[in-house]
Amino acid sequence: MATEAKKIIIDTDPGIDDAMAIFVALQSPEIEVIGLTTIYGNVYTSLATRNALHLLDVAGRTDIPVAEGSHVTITKGTKLRIADFVHGTDGLGNQNFPAPNGKPIDQNAAEFLIQQASLYPGKVIVVALGPLTNIALAIQSDPAFVKNIRQIVVLGGSFAVNGNANPAAEANIFGDPDAADIVFTSGADVLAVGINVTHQVILTDSDRNELAKSNGKFAKYLDKILGVYFGYHHDAYSTKGVYLHDPTALLAAVDPSLITYTEGAVRVQTIGITRGLTLFYNKQKRFGEVTEWCDKPSVKVAVTVDAPKVLKLVMERLINS
Ligand SMILES: O=c1[nH]cnc2c1ncn2[C@@H]1O[C@H](CO)[C@@H](O)[C@H]1O
């Protein structure tokens, strides 16, 4: 008997690598995408919703519901850091795409997450590709959420390496550090895939050419929007390609054997110059005094990734579309 497909909700701020992750997800027979929820990050939340609906139009998957998420941080902060310099002002490589046909559902993202987790207890995996506000709101508003949700795969954090928003912080955690700390200390099954891992998965110019030359619908679409993302990486890093952050996290949810992980408590710095820093405690030393980590539940933190296999899966699934 075939195993039942995993039910996945993608919390997303599309975003060029978000678009790639969403398309890879839709091409993955191991999972069923049961909804998209939106958040600010690469773009503001309203544009994230528009882009999520647009990507579902492109995919011919308007059957998948989109629930709009929070427009502000968990502490009601409105001074958001939007990464339009990474993805273009439209979030999708400045392509002037038409307005989407569909509309978001009436439920907001946190309500949708809570409802789906309680409808399918122990079955739903959330893949969180942006700041963690919606997930933290779900945790705060429903005490049953952490036990109903099967896993929260977080694309975020920079474990023992520099961040990408600044030397201390990775962009998604920096976007809402208070929300991230709520998620990491919630007791849910959390798997963090940080940039210490995603920076190993690089799509090169020649990979992009292969996408362009193929007949894959998603491959061709992505080739069009990837220009801005390549330009940014060219200016900011000396890599010969672009980092596949979001597709790596998505595939870690699809097939956990693509990564290895360690377990311990993670706290997030919420103030000062290291705001957004993720600090992992391996629980090996018993400290004499009480620390802010000791009574916290363990989460999983990705340590290694089979980068060639992730890249191969991304390419195959986009080309065969
Ligand atoms: O330098 C950056 N600043 C802000 N966001 C970035 C940067 N590089 C990538 N991303 C975006 O944030 C997530 C990974 O941290 C990814 O979703 C990526 O699209």
Side-chain angles (χ1 to χ4, degrees):
M1 198 183 81
T3 45
E4 205 185 320
K6 295 176 180 175
K7 294 186 190 302
I8 304 256
I9 298 172
I10 306 176
D11 188 70
T12 175
D13 53 344
I16 295 168
D17 58 330
D18 297 73
M20 191 179 282
I22 290 168
F23 289 154
V24 170
L26 297 177
Q27 290 292 103
S28 296
E30 306 88 342
I31 63 171
E32 178 196 356
V33 180
I34 62 168
L36 304 182
T37 54
T38 65
I39 191 63
Y40 59 86
N42 296 325
V43 292
Y44 286 100
T45 304
S46 319
L47 187 49
T49 303
R50 179 190 158 112
N51 288 352
L53 291 164
H54 160 74
L55 293 168
L56 293 176
D57 276 347
V58 171
R61 290 299 309 272
T62 50
D63 56 301
I64 296 173
V66 175
E68 183 159 87
S70 184
H71 295 256
V72 296
T73 69
I74 195 98
T75 56
K76 307 269 191 297
T78 51
K79 248 185 73 193
L80 307 175
R81 179 180 185 275
I82 301 300
D84 51 0
F85 50 91
V86 181
H87 302 272
T89 48
D90 68 350
L92 294 172
N94 294 330
Q95 295 294 308
N96 270 315
F97 289 120
N101 295 312
K103 283 198 170 22
I105 59 174
D106 287 336
Q107 279 172 314
N108 68 33
E111 289 165 350
F112 180 75
L113 287 163
I114 289 168
Q115 183 213 40
Q116 295 299 308
S118 76
L119 257 179
Y120 308 108
K123 301 260 189 242
V124 179
I125 300 177
V126 184
V127 179
L129 303 178
L132 293 168
T133 320
N134 294 331
I135 326 292
L137 285 169
I139 289 168
Q140 283 188 334
S141 5
D142 178 14
F145 182 74
V146 298
K147 98 172 145 17
N148 286 341
I149 202 78
R150 172 165 162 187
Q151 189 171 51
I152 302 165
V153 177
V154 172
L155 164 73
S158 51
F159 297 92
V161 299
N162 275 151
N164 58 0
N166 63 49
E170 180 277 331
N172 287 341
I173 305 300
F174 190 66
D176 194 343
D178 301 278
D181 197 53
I182 290 169
V183 173
F184 283 124
T185 58
S186 66
D189 183 346
V190 174
L191 166 65
V193 182
I195 57 175
N196 47 305
V197 161
T198 60
H199 277 185
Q200 296 171 43
V201 187
I202 295 174
L203 182 103
T204 63
D205 279 316
S206 83
D207 298 325
R208 184 180 170 199
N209 284 339
E210 227 179 288
L211 294 177
K213 280 190 322 215
S214 79
N215 284 319
K217 174 171 75 167
F218 296 149
K220 284 179 174 305
Y221 177 97
L222 284 165
D223 169 56
K224 271 200 294 188
I225 70 170
L226 272 165
V228 171
Y229 201 53
F230 266 81
Y232 165 74
H233 282 74
H234 188 263
D235 294 343
Y237 301 98
S238 25
T239 44
K240 289 204 163 40
V242 298
Y243 297 131
L244 296 190
H245 303 286
D246 296 2
T248 302
L250 184 278
L251 283 170
V254 171
D255 179 1
S257 77
L258 292 166
I259 57 147
T260 63
Y261 62 81
T262 184
E263 290 183 77
V266 170
R267 297 302 308 264
V268 181
Q269 175 62 282
T270 55
I271 53 165
I273 63 166
T274 54
R275 184 174 155 79
L277 177 83
T278 43
L279 217 136
F280 172 79
Y281 164 46
N282 62 16
K283 299 199 172 178
Q284 274 162 26
K285 181 181 179 194
R286 286 179 300 280
F287 290 99
E289 61 260 63
V290 174
T291 79
E292 300 289 351
W293 285 258
C294 30
D295 60 339
K296 299 302 181 214
S298 287
V299 299
K300 300 175 174 126
V301 174
V303 177
T304 66
V305 60
D306 186 342
K309 192 154 172 206
V310 169
L311 183 66
K312 183 165 176 276
L313 283 169
V314 168
M315 294 295 290
E316 278 173 4
R317 290 182 180 193
L318 296 175
I319 287 171
N320 297 320
S321 63

